[in-house]
Amino acid sequence: MRLYLKFLSIHFRSAMTYRASFFLSCLGQVLITTNVFLSVVFLMERFDSIGGYTLPQLSLCYAVILAGTSLAECFARGLDAFGRILSQAQFDRLMLRPRPLLFQVLCQDMKPAMFARVLQAAVMLMWAIGSGAVAWTPQKALVLTLMILCGAGVFFGVFLINACVTFFTLEHIEALNIFMDGPREYGKYPFGIYGKPVLLILTFLVPLALVQHWPLQFLFGRGPGWYGLLPLAALLFLIPCGLLWRVGVRHYRSTGS
């Protein structure tokens, strides 16, 4: 952990070398996600609710997804650039070092500017909490925390799968961006709004609904208490992701670059 924090400090100091560029990047990240949620705000000016959800509830819904994706992107940026690591034969050098391969890949690249989105998500959460979106109890506060942390874990797994695919293709598969970048767009509503087929896919294939739709039903008083435990079940998604990583490493062949 100390070594990881050291790498994080190095990347942060590197980003702060050009402070104006760093803060403009932060501003750009915030404006992108703000623009996504503004469509909800404008729609709610015409309708009192969407699918039975009020604006504070939708704000809480989007803040959970925004925080999860942003935390994953802060620390898993190296996986997003994994195709370049393979094509430039940098992975050969990583294999010679006495550190876990995945740890080294994660330390290759980090994106401190994504912390701006984490702060934005925190502001949205505070507004939703203060607006009475949920009748809060200590149990519900714990569930909300699990939704964010486990959501970051699920998105990390999606990044890992995309990286593992490049062991065989040397390029990322754009279709996987549906689960990587897409949630920032369609995560502004509970996933159940998009219909049963989508909800089934996001429950049993890529368990994003386990960290958003189903726990939200518990927070909003629409579902049983065991829905609050589903974010922990979503972490089981990391098991096949880890196994796929091991398979990819065993089948790795250097490009010879």
Side-chain angles (χ1 to χ4, degrees):
M1 178 59 70
R2 181 179 300 177
L3 181 59
Y4 185 82
L5 293 176
K6 181 67 174 179
F7 273 102
L8 180 61
S9 175
I10 291 172
H11 283 286
F12 185 78
R13 290 200 303 270
S14 176
M16 290 297 291
T17 301
Y18 300 97
R19 297 188 178 185
S21 176
F22 173 74
F23 288 116
L24 286 175
S25 296
C26 292
L27 178 62
Q29 296 295 339
V30 170
L31 289 177
I32 291 172
T33 49
T34 300
N35 183 61
V36 171
F37 193 69
L38 279 178
S39 63
V40 179
V41 175
F42 295 147
L43 194 61
M44 294 299 290
E45 289 184 352
R46 183 174 181 85
F47 304 99
D48 293 332
S49 64
I50 298 177
Y53 299 98
T54 63
L55 181 59
Q57 291 174 333
L58 293 178
S59 176
L60 180 68
C61 169
Y62 186 58
V64 167
I65 289 296
L66 180 60
T69 56
S70 301
L71 284 173
E73 286 194 79
C74 284
F75 303 108
R77 189 66 179 178
L79 294 173
D80 194 39
F82 192 63
R84 172 175 53 80
I85 293 175
L86 290 184
S87 62
Q88 297 178 1
Q90 297 179 25
F91 197 68
D92 300 48
R93 184 169 66 248
L94 301 185
M95 297 182 74
L96 298 176
R97 296 173 178 171
R99 293 290 179 180
L101 290 172
L102 184 56
F103 172 81
Q104 294 186 68
V105 171
L106 294 178
C107 292
Q108 285 283 306
D109 192 10
M110 299 177 186
K111 198 168 184 181
M114 285 298 174
F115 281 112
R117 288 186 178 178
V118 177
L119 293 176
Q120 181 187 14
V123 172
M124 293 181 69
L125 280 173
M126 289 188 291
W127 180 80
I129 291 172
S131 299
V134 176
W136 291 102
T137 64
Q139 292 80 8
K140 289 185 176 182
L142 177 60
V143 169
L144 178 62
T145 303
L146 289 176
M147 290 169 65
I148 295 173
L149 296 180
C150 296
V154 171
F155 285 114
F156 177 86
V158 175
F159 274 105
L160 186 57
I161 289 176
N162 200 19
C164 292
V165 168
T166 60
F167 278 117
F168 307 96
T169 64
L170 295 182
E171 294 290 341
H172 291 302
I173 296 180
E174 292 297 326
L176 290 177
N177 287 335
I178 296 174
F179 302 106
M180 295 169 61
D181 299 325
R184 281 196 299 269
E185 173 64 33
Y186 57 75
K188 58 191 176 186
Y189 303 112
F191 294 131
I193 283 183
Y194 300 104
K196 188 174 181 180
V198 173
L199 185 59
L200 288 175
I201 291 174
L202 296 181
T203 298
F204 298 104
L205 183 60
V206 181
L208 295 176
L210 298 186
V211 297
Q212 192 240 43
H213 175 81
W214 298 113
L216 282 176
Q217 305 312 303
F218 166 66
L219 294 184
F220 298 154
R222 302 182 179 187
W226 63 268
Y227 279 6
L229 299 176
L230 290 178
L232 293 175
L235 294 180
L236 295 175
F237 177 65
L238 294 177
I239 296 177
C241 296
L243 294 175
L244 183 60
W245 171 261
R246 296 184 64 178
V247 170
V249 171
R250 282 201 302 267
H251 287 79
Y252 169 69
R253 298 293 182 272
S254 176
T255 62
S257 301

